[in-house]
Amino acid sequence: MKLRHHKTMNAIPLVDSLQRRITYLRLSVTDRCDLRCTYCMPEAMQFLPKKDVLSLEELHQLSLAFIARGVRKIRLTGGEPLVRRDMMDLVRALGREVGNGLDELTLTTNGTQLAQYADILAASGVRRVNVSLDTRDPALFSRLTRRNRLANVLEGIEAAKAAGLHIKLNTVALKGLNEAEIPDLVAWAHGQGFDITLIEVMPLGEVEDDRVDHYLPLSAVQDAMQRRWTLRSSSHSTGGPARYFEIEETGGRLGLITPLTNNFCAGCNRLRVTATGQLYPCLGGAERVDLRAALRSSNTEVEFQAALDEAMRIKPERHHFRIEARDAQPAVPRHMSMTGG
Ligand code: SAM
Ligand code: SF4
């Protein structure tokens, strides 16, 4: 691999054909996971052979090359990023770029192993983590994730808080499952000093469950919360799909991600790279370029930069998610664990 180091380069920033400036990379470091959330993957999920997954060195080089072209924020995700064995080496290496081209290094985790790693993350320059938590009810947690690990997750959240990490919870809103609990979950999160963002379930990849049955439009959740609290629209923005509110009574921030009902694509600033180095310029599209082939080619620098330029050319104007009929195929065949959440 012969990618030139970013500090020696005067590289052209990533700007797509619609003049959207790309500053945010979501990098999946593994497709593996220790949970099996029913809306995310089947119980017998087939994971990728290790040789197909980018090495630590490849992930590091790729990240530096993105930083060289204007990426300011990297979110490590998966699968579950903390199940990858050399993950802390990557976090330490990328942590050295924070304040040095990179504004922020962060990760999205299911929290099961956060207790073990929270201190290292904080010491490496990570300031904020997103933890996915759909319920605080042990029986429902086991049903939704097919694993009995709620206690580990809550311990992980506690450890992250103690390490000084700022925590945002991500909660997928599921009709008839966690629907009734959501306001209490929001109140609990805000009581702990955490932000919380609710997400509508998206039609990504084949799963055994019927996601359409559990699709819950967040407009309904918002109505329920407005009956209980005063929600004020907030100007807070991360350049992503979330709309934010401040809740007067709890003093906390609530985000709503409504990919199926809202269009947020005009301000899109992000790219996604899978654990196998496939760059998807849109979570909801089939367009992709193969960064792994470029990284493993004999002319890495030229091929890699050409691949990034191609991604800028093909990044679609908007996604094409729809909640389909009951028996329909997923709108996008990839699981969320492939492209990263
Ligand atoms: N394993 C980590 C976690 O759970 O936080 C990181 C990867 S996970 C794919 C990222 C986020 O995607 C999680 O918050 C999860 O709830 C969400 N997610 C997975 N499948 C989804 C789907 N079909 N629709 C909406 N959100 C989904
Ligand atoms: Fe694993 Fe995250 Fe998917 Fe749940 S949502 S199965 S924790 S990758």
Side-chain angles (χ1 to χ4, degrees), residues 4 24 79 93 142 158 176 186 203 216 218 228 244:
R4 277 188 279 154
Y24 182 7
S142 299
E158 206 43 57
V186 170
L216 175 62
L218 290 185
R228 177 163 165 177
Y244 292 94

Side-chain angles (χ1 to χ4, degrees), residues 32-37 39-41 78-80 110 132 145 336-337:
R32 286 164 201 259
C33 190
D34 53 348
L35 300 182
R36 292 288 184 281
C37 302
Y39 50 75
C40 181
M41 56 174 82
E80 173 48 39
N110 64 26
S132 301
T145 67
M336 186 75 123
S337 57

Side-chain angles (χ1 to χ4, degrees), residues 39-40 77-80 108-110 132 172 200-202 211 336 341:
Y39 50 75
C40 181
T77 179
E80 173 48 39
T108 299
T109 173
N110 64 26
S132 301
V172 177
E200 280 175 354
V201 74
M202 288 181 257
R211 273 178 301 231
M336 186 75 123

Side-chain angles (χ1 to χ4, degrees), residues 279-330:
L279 189 166
Y280 285 92
C282 177
L283 178 66
E287 299 81 0
R288 74 179 164 101
V289 296
D290 188 351
L291 296 183
R292 186 184 62 191
L295 284 168
R296 295 181 183 177
S297 79
S298 56
N299 197 5
T300 304
E301 176 65 27
V302 170
E303 302 251 334
F304 190 86
Q305 300 303 340
L308 294 189
D309 293 338
E310 172 69 358
M312 292 303 95
R313 200 182 63 74
I314 64 173
K315 184 170 164 67
E317 184 173 357
R318 52 172 301 166
H319 72 69
H320 298 287
F321 287 131
R322 274 169 302 148
I323 265 286
E324 303 283 11
R326 193 165 286 262
D327 59 352
Q329 296 295 305

Side-chain angles (χ1 to χ4, degrees), residues 176-294:
L177 293 171
N178 65 356
E179 182 176 1
E181 187 192 339
I182 287 176
D184 291 341
L185 200 57
V186 170
W188 176 76
H190 287 174
Q192 298 283 320
F194 308 152
D195 291 338
I196 180 165
T197 289
L198 307 178
I199 310 170
E200 280 175 354
V201 74
M202 288 181 257
L204 295 170
E206 292 280 2
V207 292
E208 288 134 354
D209 239 38
D210 196 337
R211 273 178 301 231
V212 177
D213 283 346
H214 298 301
Y215 172 65
L216 175 62
L218 290 185
S219 50
V221 183
Q222 192 178 333
D223 288 348
M225 283 195 286
Q226 266 162 340
R227 283 195 289 277
R228 177 163 165 177
W229 291 314
T230 317
L231 269 61
R232 292 194 199 293
S233 245
S234 153
S235 57
H236 182 76
S237 168
T238 56
R243 289 173 293 132
Y244 292 94
F245 298 87
E246 310 286 344
I247 301 184
E248 200 172 288
E249 291 81 355
T250 63
R253 183 183 293 151
L254 170 72
L256 301 180
I257 299 187
T258 52
L260 303 176
T261 51
N262 266 52
N263 186 22
F264 48 83
C265 303
C268 184
N269 62 354
R270 58 192 61 189
L271 297 175
R272 293 177 153 82
V273 174
T274 69
T276 60
Q278 305 307 304
L279 189 166
Y280 285 92
C282 177
L283 178 66
E287 299 81 0
R288 74 179 164 101
V289 296
D290 188 351
L291 296 183
R292 186 184 62 191

